[in-house]
Amino acid sequence: MPSKEITTLLENKQSQLTKRISAIEADFHKGRSQDFSEQATETENDDVLDEIHHEAKLELSLVKSALKRITDGLYGNCTECDEPINPDRLSALPYTTTCIKCAH
C-alpha cells in the first residue's frame, strides 16, 4: 500500500489539473477581439493552449488511474510484468504504471 503522502500528492495533482483544465476551457469560450492582428495573436495562443489542455487531460487521466490502482490495491506494481516498481521511480513519477525495465 502506498504511503499517505503519495495519495495526498496524487489527489492534490488531480485538483490542480482539474482547475487548469477548467481555466483553459473558460479561456476558449471567451470572445475574440475584432482587431485582425489581435485575432492572429489569439489564434497562436489558442494553439499553445490547446496543446497544454491536451497534456493536462492526459496527465489527469494518469493521475486518476493511479488513484484507482491505490483503491484496488494494485498501486506500485508494474502493469507489464507485475513486479514492484522501484520506490524512487514512484517518488519521481507517482502515476507511472511500469518499472524502468518495462518502460524501455
Side-chain angles (χ1 to χ4, degrees):
M1 192 67 161
S3 69
K4 182 65 180 158
E5 292 82 26
I6 293 287
T7 302
T8 300
L9 177 80
L10 287 166
E11 290 170 343
N12 289 341
K13 188 69 170 172
Q14 180 179 16
S15 177
Q16 291 169 355
L17 288 166
T18 300
K19 288 177 186 173
R20 183 181 307 157
I21 290 166
S22 293
I24 291 169
E25 289 172 352
D27 189 62
F28 280 141
H29 290 101
K30 285 192 326 189
R32 295 296 173 219
S33 173
Q34 296 298 318
D35 181 273
F36 180 74
S37 63
E38 190 65 31
Q39 286 177 358
T41 300
E42 289 171 348
T43 299
E44 289 174 14
N45 290 344
D46 284 350
D47 291 344
V48 172
L49 273 181
D50 188 49
E51 185 60 30
I52 293 169
H53 183 253
H54 173 74
E55 292 297 322
K57 287 184 89 168
L58 177 62
E59 188 174 7
L60 179 59
S61 173
L62 294 170
V63 168
K64 285 180 176 181
S65 178
L67 288 168
K68 179 161 179 17
R69 286 194 312 278
I70 289 170
T71 301
D72 294 345
L74 302 171
Y75 183 83
N77 285 354
C78 178
T79 57
E80 298 294 319
C81 69
D82 203 37
E83 292 295 317
I85 299 171
N86 183 305
D88 289 338
R89 180 166 168 76
L90 287 172
S91 291
L93 195 59
Y95 47 76
T96 190
T97 60
T98 57
C99 66
I100 195 73
K101 180 178 152 193
C102 291
H104 288 107

XYZ file of all heavy atoms in Angstrom:
816
model
N 0.850 -1.185 0.000
C 0.000 0.000 0.000
C 0.890 1.241 0.000
O 1.843 1.332 0.752
C -0.890 -0.049 1.244
C -1.996 0.965 1.219
S -3.165 0.550 -0.088
C -4.552 1.447 0.435
N 0.593 2.197 -0.852
C 1.420 3.402 -0.928
C 1.266 4.250 0.338
O 0.298 4.132 1.072
C 0.864 4.131 -2.142
C -0.532 3.661 -2.261
C -0.530 2.243 -1.769
N 2.234 5.107 0.526
C 2.187 5.999 1.678
C 1.056 7.008 1.512
O 0.598 7.286 0.394
C 3.517 6.732 1.831
O 3.683 7.654 0.770
N 0.614 7.549 2.619
C -0.419 8.586 2.609
C 0.070 9.799 1.827
O -0.712 10.480 1.174
C -0.784 8.962 4.052
C -1.869 9.996 4.156
C -3.188 9.486 3.633
C -4.257 10.562 3.755
N -5.367 10.366 2.872
N 1.390 10.048 1.864
C 1.946 11.192 1.141
C 1.745 11.049 -0.369
O 1.445 12.022 -1.049
C 3.441 11.378 1.451
C 3.741 11.810 2.861
C 3.768 10.666 3.864
O 4.035 9.506 3.478
O 3.491 10.926 5.040
N 1.910 9.828 -0.876
C 1.716 9.600 -2.322
C 0.258 9.840 -2.690
O -0.044 10.500 -3.684
C 2.152 8.169 -2.727
C 3.657 7.988 -2.581
C 1.698 7.836 -4.142
C 4.501 8.683 -3.617
N -0.650 9.303 -1.876
C -2.081 9.500 -2.138
C -2.424 10.982 -2.107
O -3.107 11.480 -3.010
C -2.922 8.726 -1.104
O -2.571 7.342 -1.170
C -4.409 8.887 -1.367
N -1.930 11.693 -1.106
C -2.194 13.127 -0.996
C -1.601 13.871 -2.181
O -2.243 14.761 -2.747
C -1.627 13.681 0.331
O -2.260 12.988 1.411
C -1.878 15.169 0.473
N -0.382 13.525 -2.568
C 0.260 14.145 -3.725
C -0.588 13.957 -4.981
O -0.823 14.902 -5.739
C 1.654 13.546 -3.934
C 2.417 14.051 -5.147
C 3.052 15.397 -4.835
C 3.481 13.055 -5.545
N -1.067 12.747 -5.205
C -1.886 12.460 -6.377
C -3.225 13.208 -6.317
O -3.690 13.747 -7.333
C -2.121 10.954 -6.518
C -0.903 10.152 -6.982
C -1.136 8.659 -6.749
C -0.594 10.420 -8.449
N -3.830 13.264 -5.149
C -5.097 13.989 -5.009
C -4.905 15.487 -5.251
O -5.731 16.130 -5.910
C -5.709 13.741 -3.622
C -6.224 12.340 -3.456
C -6.608 11.982 -2.030
O -6.191 12.687 -1.073
O -7.317 10.976 -1.865
N -3.802 16.045 -4.749
C -3.503 17.458 -4.990
C -3.246 17.713 -6.470
O -3.691 18.722 -7.021
C -2.316 17.917 -4.159
C -2.633 18.021 -2.683
O -3.796 18.086 -2.279
N -1.606 18.012 -1.852
N -2.516 16.811 -7.113
C -2.235 16.945 -8.542
C -3.533 16.888 -9.338
O -3.728 17.652 -10.287
C -1.271 15.828 -8.981
C -0.759 15.987 -10.376
C 0.165 17.180 -10.469
C 0.876 17.211 -11.780
N 1.621 18.458 -11.957
N -4.443 15.988 -8.936
C -5.736 15.873 -9.609
C -6.500 17.199 -9.503
O -7.050 17.679 -10.496
C -6.539 14.740 -8.986
C -7.901 14.546 -9.614
C -8.676 13.392 -8.978
O -8.347 12.913 -7.903
N -9.695 12.942 -9.661
N -6.500 17.790 -8.333
C -7.190 19.062 -8.122
C -6.565 20.177 -8.971
O -7.278 20.947 -9.623
C -7.136 19.427 -6.647
O -7.729 20.675 -6.418
N -5.239 20.253 -8.989
C -4.542 21.274 -9.772
C -4.850 21.129 -11.262
O -5.124 22.119 -11.952
C -3.034 21.179 -9.566
C -2.555 21.561 -8.203
C -1.079 21.180 -7.997
O -0.451 20.554 -8.843
N -0.544 21.557 -6.842
N -4.797 19.898 -11.745
C -5.045 19.666 -13.171
C -6.491 19.975 -13.541
O -6.753 20.549 -14.605
C -4.695 18.220 -13.539
C -3.203 17.902 -13.551
C -2.977 16.394 -13.590
C -2.513 18.581 -14.734
N -7.420 19.623 -12.681
C -8.827 19.911 -12.939
C -9.045 21.418 -13.038
O -9.744 21.899 -13.941
C -9.710 19.296 -11.832
O -9.501 17.878 -11.823
C -11.181 19.586 -12.059
N -8.432 22.182 -12.132
C -8.540 23.646 -12.168
C -7.904 24.206 -13.436
O -8.452 25.109 -14.072
C -7.884 24.259 -10.935
C -8.669 24.049 -9.667
C -7.930 24.607 -8.462
C -8.660 24.252 -7.181
N -7.910 24.618 -5.982
N -6.740 23.668 -13.807
C -6.048 24.145 -15.010
C -6.894 23.889 -16.252
O -7.047 24.765 -17.112
C -4.695 23.459 -15.151
C -3.893 23.963 -16.355
C -2.564 23.265 -16.508
N -1.795 23.319 -15.276
C -0.831 22.460 -14.980
N -0.504 21.504 -15.822
N -0.162 22.561 -13.857
N -7.468 22.709 -16.350
C -8.299 22.356 -17.499
C -9.519 23.263 -17.568
O -9.873 23.768 -18.640
C -8.694 20.864 -17.441
C -7.461 19.992 -17.710
C -9.809 20.544 -18.421
C -7.636 18.529 -17.349
N -10.155 23.522 -16.423
C -11.328 24.408 -16.386
C -10.960 25.817 -16.827
O -11.711 26.460 -17.572
C -11.927 24.440 -14.984
O -12.463 23.195 -14.646
N -9.822 26.310 -16.373
C -9.380 27.660 -16.749
C -9.100 27.748 -18.245
O -9.474 28.736 -18.892
C -8.135 28.052 -15.952
N -8.489 26.729 -18.803
C -8.203 26.726 -20.240
C -9.509 26.685 -21.028
O -9.690 27.423 -21.999
C -7.290 25.538 -20.616
C -5.887 25.745 -20.040
C -7.223 25.363 -22.139
C -4.991 24.523 -20.130
N -10.428 25.836 -20.596
C -11.716 25.738 -21.295
C -12.489 27.047 -21.200
O -13.128 27.464 -22.173
C -12.517 24.558 -20.750
C -11.905 23.230 -21.166
C -12.521 22.007 -20.513
O -13.359 22.162 -19.588
O -12.149 20.889 -20.919
N -12.412 27.718 -20.062
C -13.077 29.022 -19.923
C -12.460 30.031 -20.877
O -13.171 30.841 -21.488
C -12.977 29.510 -18.480
N -11.136 29.989 -21.027
C -10.463 30.907 -21.944
C -10.879 30.656 -23.389
O -11.048 31.591 -24.161
C -8.944 30.785 -21.804
C -8.220 31.866 -22.568
O -8.419 33.052 -22.234
O -7.474 31.540 -23.518
N -11.071 29.388 -23.744
C -11.500 29.059 -25.103
C -12.885 29.628 -25.405
O -13.203 29.932 -26.548
C -11.531 27.543 -25.328
C -10.187 26.929 -25.605
C -9.859 25.708 -25.067
C -9.252 27.555 -26.412
C -8.619 25.113 -25.317
C -8.018 26.984 -26.671
C -7.700 25.765 -26.120
N -13.709 29.772 -24.384
C -15.081 30.234 -24.594
C -15.224 31.750 -24.547
O -16.303 32.274 -24.806
C -16.012 29.576 -23.563
C -16.192 28.118 -23.809
N -15.508 27.157 -23.088
C -16.946 27.446 -24.718
C -15.834 25.968 -23.540
N -16.708 26.106 -24.524
N -14.131 32.445 -24.228
C -14.178 33.908 -24.231
C -14.305 34.398 -25.667
O -13.856 33.768 -26.609
C -12.900 34.504 -23.628
C -12.828 34.398 -22.134
C -11.720 35.217 -21.517
C -10.466 35.330 -22.326
N -9.363 35.954 -21.614
N -14.880 35.560 -25.804
C -14.991 36.178 -27.122
C -13.626 36.594 -27.641
O -12.664 36.726 -26.889
N -13.547 36.797 -28.921
C -12.301 37.208 -29.560
C -12.365 38.670 -29.984
O -13.424 39.230 -30.216
C -11.999 36.330 -30.779
C -11.740 34.880 -30.404
C -10.489 34.786 -29.554
N -10.284 33.440 -29.042
C -9.849 33.177 -27.825
N -9.595 34.134 -26.983
N -9.662 31.944 -27.440
N -11.219 39.250 -30.096
C -11.077 40.648 -30.485
C -11.590 40.871 -31.908
O -11.571 39.978 -32.744
C -9.600 41.042 -30.406
O -9.413 42.335 -30.916
N -12.016 42.092 -32.165
C -12.445 42.471 -33.514
C -11.245 42.875 -34.381
O -11.341 42.890 -35.594
C -13.449 43.638 -33.436
C -14.738 43.279 -32.729
C -15.497 42.168 -33.443
O -15.603 42.136 -34.654
N -16.013 41.226 -32.660
N -10.124 43.167 -33.733
C -8.918 43.586 -34.434
C -8.242 42.379 -35.076
O -7.953 41.394 -34.416
C -7.978 44.275 -33.434
C -6.707 44.768 -34.085
O -5.747 43.958 -34.164
O -6.664 45.929 -34.518
N -7.962 42.468 -36.402
C -7.400 41.342 -37.144
C -6.047 40.897 -36.593
O -5.800 39.704 -36.420
C -7.275 41.679 -38.631
C -6.701 40.555 -39.439
C -7.456 39.427 -39.726
C -5.383 40.594 -39.883
C -6.928 38.381 -40.452
C -4.849 39.552 -40.608
C -5.626 38.445 -40.897
N -5.142 41.839 -36.318
C -3.811 41.457 -35.813
C -3.925 40.830 -34.420
O -3.182 39.910 -34.089
C -2.864 42.654 -35.798
O -3.326 43.643 -34.917
N -4.863 41.324 -33.628
C -5.088 40.743 -32.304
C -5.658 39.326 -32.446
O -5.307 38.422 -31.691
C -6.042 41.632 -31.498
C -6.156 41.256 -30.054
C -4.869 41.434 -29.270
O -4.066 42.330 -29.578
O -4.661 40.645 -28.337
N -6.498 39.107 -33.446
C -7.054 37.772 -33.690
C -5.955 36.778 -34.058
O -5.991 35.622 -33.646
C -8.098 37.822 -34.809
C -9.401 38.439 -34.403
C -10.376 38.521 -35.565
O -10.064 38.141 -36.693
N -11.565 39.025 -35.287
N -4.963 37.235 -34.825
C -3.848 36.360 -35.203
C -3.073 35.922 -33.962
O -2.720 34.745 -33.829
C -2.929 37.079 -36.189
N -2.826 36.852 -33.063
C -2.131 36.527 -31.814
C -2.969 35.569 -30.974
O -2.450 34.605 -30.408
C -1.835 37.809 -31.011
O -1.016 38.665 -31.814
C -1.128 37.502 -29.706
N -4.263 35.825 -30.910
C -5.160 34.956 -30.137
C -5.182 33.541 -30.712
O -5.218 32.559 -29.969
C -6.569 35.544 -30.099
C -6.661 36.780 -29.231
C -7.988 37.511 -29.353
O -8.770 37.203 -30.283
O -8.251 38.388 -28.515
N -5.132 33.431 -32.037
C -5.114 32.117 -32.679
C -3.841 31.354 -32.314
O -3.891 30.164 -32.013
C -5.235 32.255 -34.211
O -6.481 32.890 -34.505
C -5.178 30.905 -34.905
N -2.703 32.044 -32.331
C -1.447 31.418 -31.920
C -1.522 30.970 -30.466
O -1.095 29.864 -30.119
C -0.277 32.385 -32.099
C 0.092 32.646 -33.543
C 1.159 33.713 -33.688
O 1.812 34.065 -32.684
O 1.344 34.195 -34.811
N -2.075 31.831 -29.614
C -2.238 31.477 -28.204
C -3.160 30.267 -28.040
O -2.925 29.415 -27.182
C -2.776 32.665 -27.401
C -1.768 33.780 -27.252
O -0.572 33.588 -27.474
N -2.235 34.963 -26.898
N -4.211 30.223 -28.847
C -5.135 29.093 -28.783
C -4.435 27.784 -29.122
O -4.714 26.754 -28.506
C -6.326 29.293 -29.731
C -7.342 30.290 -29.205
O -7.238 30.692 -28.025
O -8.244 30.663 -29.984
N -3.531 27.828 -30.087
C -2.788 26.625 -30.459
C -1.945 26.123 -29.285
O -1.907 24.929 -29.002
C -1.891 26.881 -31.673
C -2.674 27.096 -32.956
O -3.877 26.745 -32.988
O -2.091 27.620 -33.914
N -1.295 27.049 -28.599
C -0.484 26.687 -27.436
C -1.384 26.166 -26.313
O -1.111 25.130 -25.708
C 0.357 27.898 -26.947
C 1.041 27.591 -25.630
C 1.384 28.279 -28.004
N -2.474 26.882 -26.051
C -3.409 26.449 -25.014
C -4.011 25.085 -25.324
O -4.214 24.274 -24.419
C -4.539 27.474 -24.855
C -4.289 28.622 -23.910
C -5.515 29.539 -23.859
C -3.952 28.141 -22.519
N -4.272 24.829 -26.580
C -4.831 23.536 -26.970
C -3.862 22.408 -26.629
O -4.274 21.362 -26.122
C -5.163 23.529 -28.467
C -5.913 22.289 -28.880
O -6.914 21.940 -28.208
O -5.499 21.654 -29.878
N -2.590 22.628 -26.871
C -1.586 21.613 -26.539
C -1.470 21.432 -25.026
O -1.397 20.309 -24.532
C -0.224 21.988 -27.144
C 0.837 20.937 -26.942
C 0.514 19.582 -27.560
O -0.186 19.532 -28.583
O 0.959 18.552 -27.003
N -1.465 22.531 -24.283
C -1.413 22.456 -22.819
C -2.656 21.734 -22.299
O -2.573 20.903 -21.392
C -1.277 23.860 -22.205
C 0.085 24.467 -22.558
C -1.482 23.826 -20.693
C 0.225 25.935 -22.219
N -3.802 22.033 -22.870
C -5.068 21.391 -22.493
C -4.982 19.885 -22.718
O -5.336 19.086 -21.843
C -6.202 22.017 -23.317
C -7.559 21.515 -23.001
N -8.245 20.681 -23.850
C -8.363 21.725 -21.932
C -9.422 20.407 -23.321
N -9.529 21.025 -22.152
N -4.481 19.502 -23.875
C -4.347 18.076 -24.204
C -3.414 17.384 -23.202
O -3.734 16.294 -22.704
C -3.819 17.917 -25.636
C -3.503 16.514 -26.009
N -4.472 15.570 -26.285
C -2.318 15.878 -26.117
C -3.894 14.416 -26.542
N -2.583 14.573 -26.462
N -2.272 17.985 -22.928
C -1.306 17.400 -21.989
C -1.886 17.304 -20.577
O -1.673 16.306 -19.881
C -0.006 18.209 -21.977
C 0.787 18.123 -23.269
C 1.271 16.727 -23.594
O 1.665 15.991 -22.672
O 1.236 16.363 -24.780
N -2.612 18.330 -20.149
C -3.210 18.317 -18.812
C -4.261 17.218 -18.698
O -4.341 16.527 -17.675
C -3.818 19.682 -18.487
N -5.056 17.033 -19.751
C -6.070 15.977 -19.723
C -5.423 14.595 -19.693
O -5.893 13.693 -19.002
C -7.017 16.118 -20.914
C -7.965 17.300 -20.763
C -8.948 17.383 -21.885
C -10.145 16.544 -21.494
N -11.290 16.739 -22.357
N -4.336 14.428 -20.421
C -3.608 13.163 -20.418
C -3.030 12.892 -19.030
O -3.169 11.788 -18.490
C -2.493 13.187 -21.464
C -1.593 11.960 -21.521
C -2.395 10.713 -21.889
C -0.475 12.178 -22.528
N -2.399 13.902 -18.445
C -1.820 13.733 -17.114
C -2.911 13.455 -16.081
O -2.746 12.612 -15.201
C -1.008 14.969 -16.722
C -0.223 14.786 -15.451
C 0.695 15.959 -15.137
O 0.658 16.998 -15.829
O 1.460 15.829 -14.169
N -4.053 14.135 -16.198
C -5.168 13.895 -15.275
C -5.653 12.453 -15.376
O -5.932 11.804 -14.368
C -6.314 14.870 -15.557
C -7.554 14.721 -14.677
C -7.215 14.905 -13.202
C -8.622 15.711 -15.118
N -5.701 11.934 -16.579
C -6.102 10.534 -16.780
C -5.136 9.590 -16.067
O -5.553 8.615 -15.428
C -6.158 10.223 -18.275
O -6.389 8.864 -18.497
N -3.851 9.874 -16.168
C -2.836 9.050 -15.499
C -2.958 9.127 -13.980
O -2.827 8.116 -13.284
C -1.432 9.484 -15.939
C -1.090 9.229 -17.405
C 0.225 9.921 -17.764
C -1.029 7.749 -17.705
N -3.222 10.322 -13.466
C -3.378 10.508 -12.022
C -4.607 9.743 -11.523
O -4.554 9.034 -10.516
C -3.465 12.009 -11.668
C -3.915 12.219 -10.233
C -2.123 12.690 -11.913
N -5.717 9.870 -12.245
C -6.942 9.152 -11.851
C -6.720 7.647 -11.881
O -7.198 6.923 -11.000
C -8.096 9.529 -12.778
C -8.658 10.898 -12.512
C -9.808 11.200 -13.460
C -10.457 12.528 -13.157
N -11.593 12.811 -14.069
N -5.989 7.181 -12.863
C -5.684 5.759 -12.962
C -4.840 5.306 -11.771
O -5.077 4.223 -11.210
C -4.957 5.476 -14.279
O -4.619 4.123 -14.376
N -3.867 6.115 -11.382
C -3.029 5.775 -10.221
C -3.870 5.723 -8.950
O -3.716 4.814 -8.128
C -1.889 6.785 -10.071
N -4.786 6.682 -8.782
C -5.653 6.678 -7.602
C -6.556 5.441 -7.595
O -6.804 4.852 -6.544
C -6.482 7.966 -7.552
C -5.700 9.225 -7.181
C -6.521 10.484 -7.446
C -5.248 9.172 -5.731
N -7.015 5.023 -8.755
C -7.834 3.811 -8.839
C -7.006 2.583 -8.480
O -7.471 1.687 -7.772
C -8.444 3.652 -10.225
C -9.287 2.387 -10.350
C -10.231 2.421 -11.493
C -11.065 1.190 -11.675
N -11.202 0.249 -10.612
N -5.745 2.539 -8.955
C -4.873 1.415 -8.604
C -4.620 1.362 -7.094
O -4.540 0.280 -6.518
C -3.555 1.487 -9.386
C -3.710 1.106 -10.854
C -2.389 0.849 -11.563
N -1.366 1.851 -11.357
C -1.278 3.000 -12.022
N -2.170 3.296 -12.944
N -0.307 3.851 -11.773
N -4.545 2.534 -6.449
C -4.399 2.565 -4.996
C -5.635 1.943 -4.355
O -5.526 1.066 -3.492
C -4.169 4.005 -4.488
C -2.772 4.488 -4.892
C -4.356 4.080 -2.970
C -2.527 5.964 -4.649
N -6.802 2.384 -4.785
C -8.062 1.861 -4.247
C -8.177 0.359 -4.465
O -8.631 -0.377 -3.583
C -9.262 2.574 -4.913
O -9.161 3.979 -4.654
C -10.589 2.057 -4.383
N -7.744 -0.095 -5.623
C -7.839 -1.519 -5.973
C -6.718 -2.365 -5.374
O -6.703 -3.585 -5.542
C -7.838 -1.692 -7.494
C -9.073 -1.099 -8.159
O -10.066 -0.805 -7.455
O -9.038 -0.921 -9.395
N -5.746 -1.712 -4.718
C -4.635 -2.448 -4.118
C -3.585 -2.895 -5.115
O -2.787 -3.792 -4.836
N -3.553 -2.265 -6.277
C -2.611 -2.648 -7.332
C -1.475 -1.642 -7.523
O -0.567 -1.876 -8.324
C -3.360 -2.816 -8.662
C -4.495 -3.834 -8.664
C -5.284 -3.751 -9.969
C -3.952 -5.227 -8.435
N -1.528 -0.542 -6.798
C -0.534 0.522 -6.978
C 0.861 0.023 -6.599
O 1.040 -0.693 -5.623
C -0.885 1.727 -6.109
C 0.049 2.892 -6.303
C -0.130 3.773 -7.348
C 1.122 3.099 -5.442
C 0.727 4.840 -7.535
C 1.981 4.166 -5.612
C 1.786 5.035 -6.663
O 2.636 6.093 -6.853
N 1.830 0.424 -7.408
C 3.223 0.105 -7.103
C 3.747 -1.113 -7.823
O 4.943 -1.384 -7.783
N 2.868 -1.850 -8.492
C 3.309 -2.994 -9.296
C 3.231 -2.637 -10.767
O 2.298 -1.962 -11.210
C 2.450 -4.232 -9.026
C 2.779 -4.878 -7.703
O 3.716 -4.480 -7.029
N 2.012 -5.878 -7.345
N 4.193 -3.102 -11.513
C 4.265 -2.858 -12.948
C 3.078 -3.519 -13.639
O 2.760 -4.684 -13.373
C 5.580 -3.418 -13.491
S 5.786 -3.233 -15.276
N 2.433 -2.783 -14.529
C 1.292 -3.336 -15.263
C 1.730 -4.306 -16.356
O 0.907 -5.036 -16.884
C 0.432 -2.218 -15.888
O 1.256 -1.414 -16.741
C -0.212 -1.357 -14.815
N 3.015 -4.326 -16.670
C 3.525 -5.225 -17.701
C 4.011 -6.553 -17.115
O 3.624 -7.614 -17.571
C 4.667 -4.563 -18.476
C 4.276 -3.303 -19.221
C 3.307 -3.567 -20.355
O 3.481 -4.573 -21.075
O 2.373 -2.765 -20.510
N 4.871 -6.479 -16.087
C 5.496 -7.694 -15.550
C 5.020 -8.035 -14.129
O 5.399 -9.077 -13.590
C 7.011 -7.574 -15.573
S 7.673 -6.356 -14.396
N 4.238 -7.163 -13.529
C 3.681 -7.321 -12.187
C 4.729 -7.301 -11.074
O 4.433 -7.616 -9.932
C 2.815 -8.578 -12.085
C 1.812 -8.484 -10.947
O 1.284 -7.380 -10.705
O 1.573 -9.517 -10.279
N 5.956 -6.919 -11.399
C 6.994 -6.766 -10.383
C 6.825 -5.403 -9.710
O 6.287 -4.466 -10.307
C 8.388 -6.860 -11.020
C 8.726 -8.238 -11.539
C 8.816 -9.283 -10.436
O 9.409 -8.991 -9.382
O 8.276 -10.388 -10.633
N 7.302 -5.268 -8.470
C 7.214 -3.964 -7.795
C 8.023 -2.898 -8.545
O 9.123 -3.170 -9.031
C 7.821 -4.226 -6.413
C 7.739 -5.700 -6.216
C 7.858 -6.307 -7.590
N 7.450 -1.703 -8.635
C 8.143 -0.567 -9.234
C 9.041 0.043 -8.163
O 8.637 0.188 -7.013
C 7.125 0.472 -9.755
C 6.232 -0.141 -10.840
C 7.843 1.716 -10.280
C 5.067 0.733 -11.257
N 10.260 0.386 -8.541
C 11.218 0.983 -7.618
C 10.587 2.208 -6.934
O 10.059 3.092 -7.608
C 12.473 1.389 -8.395
C 13.543 1.943 -7.506
O 13.336 2.877 -6.749
N 14.724 1.360 -7.627
N 10.658 2.269 -5.601
C 10.078 3.407 -4.870
C 10.620 4.766 -5.316
O 9.880 5.756 -5.311
C 10.435 3.123 -3.408
C 10.638 1.649 -3.353
C 11.195 1.256 -4.690
N 11.885 4.825 -5.724
C 12.442 6.093 -6.220
C 11.738 6.517 -7.504
O 11.504 7.705 -7.729
C 13.947 5.968 -6.464
C 14.739 5.863 -5.170
O 14.217 6.284 -4.116
O 15.869 5.340 -5.215
N 11.431 5.554 -8.360
C 10.704 5.847 -9.601
C 9.300 6.356 -9.277
O 8.825 7.323 -9.873
C 10.642 4.602 -10.490
C 9.901 4.812 -11.801
C 10.172 3.649 -12.758
N 9.301 3.642 -13.907
C 9.409 4.447 -14.963
N 10.377 5.344 -15.003
N 8.573 4.359 -15.982
N 8.640 5.720 -8.317
C 7.303 6.156 -7.921
C 7.330 7.537 -7.278
O 6.407 8.328 -7.467
C 6.668 5.142 -6.968
C 6.213 3.842 -7.606
C 5.792 2.845 -6.531
C 5.074 4.079 -8.588
N 8.386 7.838 -6.537
C 8.509 9.168 -5.936
C 8.668 10.235 -7.012
O 8.098 11.318 -6.906
C 9.702 9.225 -4.987
O 9.448 8.440 -3.853
N 9.441 9.919 -8.029
C 9.671 10.878 -9.108
C 8.463 11.013 -10.034
O 8.167 12.103 -10.522
C 10.894 10.464 -9.918
N 7.769 9.920 -10.261
C 6.640 9.892 -11.187
C 5.543 9.018 -10.572
O 5.387 7.852 -10.928
C 7.107 9.325 -12.538
C 6.222 9.529 -13.735
C 5.986 11.012 -14.013
C 6.838 8.869 -14.952
N 4.782 9.578 -9.627
C 3.860 8.761 -8.833
C 2.741 8.096 -9.618
O 2.099 7.183 -9.120
C 3.309 9.730 -7.795
C 3.589 11.086 -8.302
C 4.777 10.973 -9.213
N 2.520 8.513 -10.861
C 1.469 7.873 -11.650
C 2.018 6.945 -12.731
O 1.298 6.510 -13.621
C 0.519 8.903 -12.269
C 1.194 10.064 -12.951
C 1.783 9.929 -14.199
C 1.231 11.305 -12.345
C 2.395 10.993 -14.813
C 1.836 12.381 -12.960
C 2.409 12.213 -14.195
O 3.024 13.285 -14.805
N 3.296 6.594 -12.615
C 3.858 5.655 -13.575
C 3.204 4.286 -13.416
O 2.774 3.911 -12.327
C 5.388 5.539 -13.440
O 5.891 4.792 -14.548
C 5.801 4.872 -12.149
N 3.107 3.556 -14.505
C 2.470 2.234 -14.468
C 3.461 1.105 -14.706
O 3.089 -0.059 -14.580
C 1.362 2.130 -15.532
O 1.931 2.340 -16.821
C 0.251 3.138 -15.274
N 4.693 1.461 -15.058
C 5.666 0.422 -15.396
C 6.974 0.609 -14.638
O 7.348 1.722 -14.275
C 5.990 0.431 -16.906
O 6.471 1.720 -17.260
C 4.782 0.072 -17.750
N 7.644 -0.517 -14.439
C 9.002 -0.455 -13.892
C 9.929 0.097 -14.980
O 9.540 0.174 -16.141
C 9.442 -1.841 -13.422
S 9.646 -3.055 -14.744
N 11.125 0.431 -14.599
C 12.071 1.028 -15.562
C 12.409 0.036 -16.683
O 12.552 0.427 -17.841
C 13.343 1.558 -14.858
C 14.120 2.491 -15.778
C 14.209 0.449 -14.345
C 13.460 3.812 -15.966
N 12.487 -1.249 -16.352
C 12.811 -2.257 -17.359
C 11.718 -2.323 -18.433
O 12.006 -2.358 -19.628
C 12.974 -3.607 -16.663
C 13.317 -4.749 -17.582
C 13.498 -6.040 -16.773
C 13.155 -7.200 -17.635
N 13.001 -8.413 -16.866
N 10.468 -2.332 -18.012
C 9.350 -2.440 -18.973
C 9.070 -1.123 -19.689
O 8.436 -1.106 -20.743
C 8.096 -2.931 -18.276
S 8.201 -4.653 -17.738
N 9.548 -0.013 -19.120
C 9.322 1.285 -19.746
C 10.144 1.463 -21.019
O 9.836 2.293 -21.854
C 9.649 2.409 -18.761
N 11.181 0.672 -21.167
C 12.046 0.788 -22.348
C 11.565 -0.005 -23.469
O 11.077 -0.784 -23.864
C 13.492 0.397 -22.012
C 14.144 1.426 -21.166
N 14.407 1.227 -19.831
C 14.534 2.685 -21.427
C 14.963 2.303 -19.332
N 15.056 3.206 -20.285
